[in-house]
Amino acid sequence: MAIAEIIIGTVGGALLWLLIGVGLSMLLVKIYDILVFRKFDLQEAMEGNNIAVAIFFSLMLLGIGLVVAATIMSPGAGLVVAIASRSLWTGLLYDILATIGWSIGTSLVATLFFFAFDKVLVPKIKLQEEISKGNIAVGILSGVLYIAVSVVAMAVIMS
């Protein structure tokens, strides 16, 4: 295999994972914006300079990105699948599906913790309403909850 082929393969693989990682992160944030967090709209919040919403969604995006990064860096089973099936494409497909699964699963768990946090730890505060009003403290705390769940998921993925 020529050096040029190795470089092209490496750059191509890096670009593929970059597109998957960033695209998946943005897609999941948009889905949550539309389906889950209905008390505020990301587009309207940005136009209205709502810093709390910006912080919350930025930290959520970072958390999903951390999970995607962990799946890319983990030893993963894709190589084992590729060897067993004698197909690099099968191994790559397995790794892509694992990345999507971990990202969706972790963001769902983080969202469940968000709602549990809302009901159990701060029952006098409605997190979505406070974020929509621009409460920066609530935006930070809620976003960091996503980061915390993501960091734990990273440890699981990479172990």
Side-chain angles (χ1 to χ4, degrees):
M1 183 177 282
I3 293 199
E5 290 174 334
I6 294 170
I7 292 171
I8 290 170
T10 302
V11 170
L15 288 175
L16 173 68
W17 283 110
L18 181 66
L19 288 172
I20 291 169
V22 173
L24 182 60
S25 299
M26 289 175 26
L27 177 66
L28 285 173
V29 167
K30 189 61 179 173
I31 289 170
Y32 277 86
D33 177 36
I34 294 169
L35 298 178
V36 178
F37 300 107
R38 305 187 88 191
K39 300 283 184 186
F40 46 84
D41 176 79
L42 182 58
Q43 181 71 36
E44 288 177 15
M46 295 297 97
E47 291 170 357
N49 199 28
N50 186 328
I51 296 169
V53 172
I55 290 169
F56 174 68
F57 276 113
S58 296
L59 290 171
M60 181 191 297
L61 185 64
L62 176 61
I64 295 167
L66 288 170
V67 171
V68 171
T71 60
I72 293 168
M73 293 185 304
S74 72
L79 181 60
V80 173
V81 170
I83 292 168
S85 68
R86 297 178 187 246
S87 169
L88 289 174
W89 290 111
T90 304
L92 178 62
L93 179 62
Y94 181 89
D95 283 342
I96 291 170
L97 292 175
T99 299
I100 293 168
W102 274 108
S103 299
I104 292 170
T106 300
S107 61
L108 286 173
V109 169
T111 302
L112 292 174
F113 275 108
F114 174 88
F115 287 113
F117 185 78
D118 193 15
K119 300 288 185 209
V120 176
L121 295 177
V122 288
K124 295 180 183 178
I125 298 173
K126 300 297 176 211
L127 296 179
Q128 286 193 64
E129 289 177 18
E130 288 300 311
I131 293 171
S132 70
K133 292 178 191 174
N135 186 330
I136 294 172
V138 173
I140 292 170
L141 190 61
S142 298
V144 169
L145 177 65
Y146 273 83
I147 300 295
V149 171
S150 296
V151 168
V152 172
M154 286 177 66
V156 171
I157 292 165
M158 296 187 74
S159 63

